Amino acid sequence: MPAVYRDDAIVLRAQKLGEADRIVTLLTREHGRVRAVAKGVRKTMSRFGARLEPFMMIDVQLYEGRSLDTVNQVETIGAYGLTIAADYARYTAATAMLETAERLTETEREPALQQFLLLAGGLRTLAGKAHEPGLVLDAYLIRSLSVAGWAPSFTDCARCGQAGPHRAFSLAMGGSVCPSCRPPGAAAPHPETLRLLSALLTGDWPTADVSEARRRREASGLVAAYLQWHVERRVRSLRWVERDGDRPSINVPVNVPVKVPVRVAKIDVAAIERAQAAVAPTLDDPEPF
């Protein structure tokens, strides 16, 4: 007899299946990454189709299956999809966060509580518009890599531990390196860039929020390179992320506002609005941002 279980979850991805069903990829609090079939959710009268859109935080009941579980009941905890999808910069940043979370939790059903809490805190912060989207994204990427075991050092030498700050930065060695440990080809970012990265890692938002745009762009490049080095594959969503001073790297008709994301059609915005009418209690302990 199949087991029934209930868990908090964040919707990472939704794929069409047949005429009316979807396969949803969830990052859950207690069961790690789970893939499940949601039957009939693409029908207009579906009771919980909108709650199974990307960026949504839900309380879900599932039947355990051999390869795919089955969604039985869904309640909304955090209806972040509509707010995030309405802004291009926040949409692209959140999309990169979801893809990264999926990359870092590749083993299904392996508990990843800290990854879940980090993603929950990051999405809540993006939806709340507390900080610039690019900063939230970079903070999430650095912290999620740290939780996965690849914590970078932005002050002391990552190899010998010599007290810093140091100018050189090596992806292979795990961050800042002293002159004695510096390998050929190591980067030499501006000291303020390393200070910004350290602030994002530790949650020093007063420092991060007043940083210069050029320092943010340099920091984003280092974070993206560090992520790709350790994950060993490209996070495709990062190329769509809009940074300070940038424009979307896709062609947008003149009569369409730049901040409207072209790929937002994958999210049923109208349905999400309907789902917001029944929001469950807020998640009690997301990772603070």
Side-chain angles (χ1 to χ4, degrees), residues 227-245:
L227 173 67
Q228 183 172 329
W229 175 272
H230 289 288
V231 177
E232 297 182 349
R233 66 178 68 179
R234 181 169 299 175
V235 176
R236 297 179 180 179
S237 303
L238 284 177
R239 66 177 180 171
W240 298 96
V241 175
E242 181 181 1
R243 302 290 184 177
D244 281 349

Side-chain angles (χ1 to χ4, degrees), residues 78-146:
Y80 303 141
L82 182 62
T83 303
I84 290 174
D87 181 89
Y88 183 87
R90 297 184 190 282
Y91 173 78
T92 54
T95 300
M97 290 165 64
L98 296 190
E99 184 179 351
T100 300
E102 190 170 357
R103 290 276 189 266
L104 295 176
T105 56
E106 290 192 334
T107 304
E108 292 192 11
R109 301 185 186 280
E110 182 176 290
L113 176 60
Q114 290 302 314
Q115 293 291 355
F116 171 82
L117 295 177
L118 272 172
L119 184 58
L123 292 176
R124 182 184 64 179
T125 302
L126 275 178
K129 303 180 180 180
H131 307 288
E132 193 271 327
L135 292 178
V136 177
L137 170 61
D138 290 335
Y140 168 76
L141 295 179
I142 294 171
R143 298 182 200 183
S144 62
L145 285 167
S146 299

